[in-house]
Amino acid sequence: MIDERFELPTSAGERQVLETFLEFQRGALVRKCADLDDRQFRSRSVPTSRLSLAGLVRHLAGVERWYFQAVIADAFPGSLFATFTADFDDIEAATCDATFGMWRNEVGTSRRIAAERSLDVVGRHPGTGEQHSLRWVLHHMIDEYARHLGHADILREAIDGRTGE
């Protein structure tokens, strides 16, 4: 695997750096779920945790939707799931194909929204009115993925022993 983050020229601009690091994290999520069947994808493979790879992918689809559509674009089409915890909890019928299809759709929308705006554009949290710039959202998304990819590493290793990139 080639890590495109380290192929950036040392003079790369802020936007290119942010987008490249976020795309690497998004790609890592796909790689960590590769070659699993639906049962493994839904597996809560760590006995002391309710987390699953399916739940993580569903959660990240919702986070993409929230920050880019609701906060930055002020055009929230509604939640992907019926309740706040359904992304993690209601996974019995989740499949790899459908879940990643939903996630890819949200990521595509996020990319479009980001591409149409300056890093300095400011959106508002619909519930609190708190302001966030696109720059902040991109940094937050890198952090969000990185934290959950640590969870994904542990879950995947418990499923079939596969570790790392």
Side-chain angles (χ1 to χ4, degrees):
M1 184 209 61
I2 296 172
D3 187 338
E4 61 275 3
R5 297 172 299 174
F6 300 109
E7 293 181 356
L8 284 169
T10 56
S11 60
E14 178 184 18
R15 182 179 203 106
Q16 184 181 7
V17 170
L18 289 170
E19 289 176 348
T20 299
F21 272 72
L22 179 53
E23 287 304 320
F24 179 84
Q25 300 296 341
R26 288 169 172 157
L29 179 66
V30 173
R31 290 188 297 276
K32 291 187 187 306
C33 297
D35 305 320
L36 294 174
D37 62 32
D38 292 336
R39 182 192 55 77
Q40 291 170 314
F41 184 61
R42 288 188 300 266
S43 171
R44 290 180 167 102
S45 58
V46 175
T48 57
S49 175
R50 300 272 308 143
L51 288 179
S52 67
L53 291 168
L56 289 176
V57 175
R58 289 162 50 109
H59 172 70
L60 288 165
V63 172
E64 291 270 0
R65 177 177 274 217
W66 176 256
Y67 278 103
F68 288 96
Q69 294 178 54
V71 175
I72 296 298
D74 190 27
F76 190 52
S79 295
L80 291 168
F81 307 102
T83 67
F84 183 70
T85 61
D87 48 355
F88 288 111
D89 294 337
D90 299 339
I91 62 166
E92 294 76 23
T95 66
C96 293
D97 288 345
T99 302
F100 269 105
M102 173 183 53
W103 175 81
R104 284 185 182 95
N105 183 60
E106 297 306 321
V107 167
T109 300
S110 297
R111 287 178 182 136
R112 180 185 51 74
I113 289 168
E116 295 171 349
R117 290 164 174 79
S118 158
L119 292 176
D120 295 322
V121 74
V122 174
R124 291 186 184 274
H125 184 290
T128 66
E130 186 176 8
Q131 295 184 335
H132 299 291
S133 69
L134 177 57
R135 175 181 290 103
W136 184 93
V137 167
L138 290 170
H139 277 280
H140 176 70
M141 293 302 296
I142 292 166
D143 174 63
E144 184 83 13
Y145 273 90
R147 283 184 290 117
H148 289 309
L149 288 171
H151 299 130
D153 280 334
I154 294 166
L155 293 167
R156 181 61 190 254
E157 184 175 11
I159 291 168
D160 64 4
R162 188 165 159 187
T163 60
E165 296 291 334

